[in-house]
Amino acid sequence: MKLISISFFFCLMFVACAGGNIKIKIKPDLSGDLVLYQKKITKRPSGIFFGTGLVPNGELEISIKERAYQFKNYTHILPPGFRLIEFTEDQVQEIQLVIDTSKSSPLLVALEINKEEINSILSEAKLRDDLLRFNTLVEFIQFEIQFPFPIKKVKFSDPRTPGEWTARLDSNEKLIVNIPLHSVWSNEHQLTTIQIYPDAN
């Protein structure tokens, strides 16, 4: 999806890509699927004719784009901006999700996330109750990782702001991580590591 913003051209339309979701499903043989979900919003100041006496006042379209990939081993994949690392130390198995959360993170480029366009969406959301629901999908990059084995515990290796930065288990095999974009753009944490401990029992 190529982002196009022609709001500077007669102020006719803007197209913006919002925060992205990364879903990884790992199979028992460590192969699996990686899917990117990108949210796009398109706004036009006028719309399609809908009947006599009605003047088109605007159109707003929200869509989700899916990009799907497959891998043979989750520890061997090298996507831009994050890695999954597995190791054993003192007989304790640990998996780490290491994410480049700097303001120059290649993950922002890969997800086609642009600060000015996000701010345009947020400004619009404050004026509209219906779009406000979309607001929560805009301000974060979210990872969802489904493991083929139970996980005992997950945590950030370094402290993060509670309520904004989230690393939690949605089930005993599914990890959810939320990264606030405003922290990324302010270069608050250049690298983020989530420690994942499989249940050995």
Side-chain angles (χ1 to χ4, degrees):
M1 172 179 57
K2 184 177 181 181
L3 297 180
I4 304 170
S5 179
I6 58 173
S7 56
F8 62 92
F9 184 72
F10 299 135
C11 295
L12 292 179
M13 180 180 75
F14 79 77
V15 178
C17 196
N21 287 29
I22 300 167
K23 294 191 177 184
I24 301 172
K25 185 172 183 180
I26 304 169
K27 300 175 184 177
D29 65 356
L30 305 186
S31 68
D33 303 291
L34 185 152
V35 181
L36 303 180
Y37 294 96
Q38 295 170 279
K39 307 161 195 75
K40 186 174 75 169
I41 183 168
T42 304
K43 182 184 178 185
R44 300 177 182 84
S46 61
I48 298 172
F49 175 76
F50 192 62
T52 302
L54 294 169
V55 179
N57 194 36
E59 273 185 21
L60 190 69
E61 180 181 337
I62 298 170
S63 61
I64 297 178
K65 176 182 178 181
E66 177 186 297
R67 291 159 55 190
Y69 305 87
Q70 292 183 323
F71 55 83
K72 293 183 178 179
N73 187 309
Y74 76 94
T75 63
H76 296 169
I77 61 175
L78 301 174
F82 71 93
R83 298 287 182 272
L84 281 159
I85 303 166
E86 180 182 308
F87 60 93
T88 301
E89 186 173 319
D90 296 329
Q91 297 184 328
V92 176
Q93 184 186 8
E94 181 177 333
I95 301 166
Q96 291 186 349
L97 171 61
V98 183
I99 309 166
D100 183 339
T101 49
S102 68
K103 64 180 179 181
S104 58
S105 174
L107 189 55
L108 295 175
V109 177
L111 293 174
E112 300 172 290
I113 294 174
N114 180 282
K115 183 178 181 180
E116 288 71 28
E117 291 167 345
I118 294 289
N119 288 337
S120 295
I121 296 172
L122 296 179
S123 296
E124 183 74 14
K126 292 176 183 177
L127 304 174
R128 302 168 56 109
D129 289 340
D130 57 343
L131 190 56
L132 196 59
R133 292 185 227 111
F134 188 73
N135 186 13
T136 57
L137 303 175
V138 171
E139 299 177 272
F140 295 89
I141 296 173
Q142 183 181 86
F143 285 82
E144 179 182 305
I145 305 177
Q146 179 77 44
F147 291 95
F149 42 74
I151 303 298
K152 179 172 58 179
K153 182 177 68 173
V154 298
K155 67 183 184 73
F156 289 108
S157 62
D158 299 306
R160 292 291 185 268
T161 306
E164 290 191 345
W165 294 77
T166 305
R168 62 177 174 82
L169 290 173
D170 195 46
S171 71
N172 68 338
E173 295 182 352
K174 184 188 292 185
L175 168 67
I176 302 291
V177 176
N178 284 321
I179 299 168
L181 284 170
H182 72 84
S183 294
V184 176
W185 287 321
S186 65
N187 216 34
E188 186 178 338
H189 304 284
Q190 296 193 20
L191 196 68
T192 296
T193 300
I194 294 92
Q195 296 173 287
I196 305 157
Y197 297 95
D199 192 343
N201 296 326

